[in-house]
Amino acid sequence: MNDSLPGHDIPALVRLLADTLQQQGRMMATAESCTGGLIAGACTDLSGSSNWFERGFVSYSNEAKTELLGVDAALITAHGAVSEEVARAMAEGAVARSRAQVAVAVTGVAGPTGGSREKPVGTVWFGWSVGGQVRTERRRFDGDRAAVRAATVRYALQTLLDLTKD
């Protein structure tokens, strides 16, 4: 898959997401692994973000996923940190452990090291929790570490915006 996505740049996506969440009276949380807080950072770059952005969890290690988000360690052992099951549990944990009604979670292999045949560099699992429903998706982005992380932020925000508009 290609890491270039049509549509808005990240600040424009954040503005649209902010407007949508504020109109709905919803708060947002993030649960980030491979992006290390970049999604939360993009959100809080916008002045007034405290009106719609509730908190961000940076759960880079497996232990952090368990301690901060309540991800069952057995899920990580069985499926690996970069998996649909863990992305789902991260999104659910972000909502459960915050005052937010919507959340996005990302766990992936940004590279340049850490990839495998089954999960090559650029593989990212996403989880979005909106209205009590969780959606997951696996994507693979091309490029170096910075490109993979930037594409992950953009895709996470664009999809959350799309899901909150439904």
Side-chain angles (χ1 to χ4, degrees):
M1 289 184 194
N2 190 321
D3 68 334
S4 64
L5 300 168
H8 308 283
D9 65 6
I10 291 170
L13 279 173
V14 170
R15 284 190 297 277
L16 290 169
L17 182 60
D19 291 344
T20 300
L21 292 175
Q22 287 180 94
Q23 288 169 4
Q24 297 171 351
R26 289 178 164 173
M27 297 293 284
M28 171 187 170
T30 60
E32 303 181 64
S33 186
C34 61
T35 50
L38 292 174
I39 300 170
C43 290
T44 58
D45 276 347
L46 182 64
S47 179
S49 56
S50 61
N51 293 322
W52 57 274
F53 185 83
E54 208 274 326
R55 72 183 71 184
F57 299 92
V58 177
S59 54
Y60 206 74
S61 71
N62 292 344
E63 293 79 11
K65 290 172 182 64
T66 299
E67 293 169 12
L68 295 175
L69 297 166
V71 176
D72 188 339
L75 276 181
I76 298 170
T77 300
H79 303 284
V82 180
S83 64
E84 178 178 16
E85 294 80 2
V86 170
R88 174 180 296 278
M90 289 172 67
E92 291 170 340
V95 169
R97 294 180 178 218
S98 71
R99 292 184 179 93
Q101 297 79 38
V102 302
V104 60
V106 295
T107 181
V109 185
T113 60
S116 67
R117 188 166 177 244
E118 298 79 27
K119 298 173 187 177
V121 168
T123 301
V124 179
W125 271 101
F126 295 84
W128 298 273
S129 178
V130 178
Q133 300 294 312
V134 179
R135 176 181 162 191
T136 57
E137 185 177 343
R138 179 185 179 269
R139 299 279 301 198
R140 179 148 182 260
F141 300 110
D142 295 324
D144 63 11
R145 183 176 182 84
V148 168
R149 288 164 46 118
T152 298
V153 171
R154 187 175 303 108
Y155 193 75
L157 292 169
Q158 180 65 62
T159 304
L160 184 58
L161 177 62
D162 293 344
L163 292 171
T164 56
K165 287 185 169 183
D166 289 344

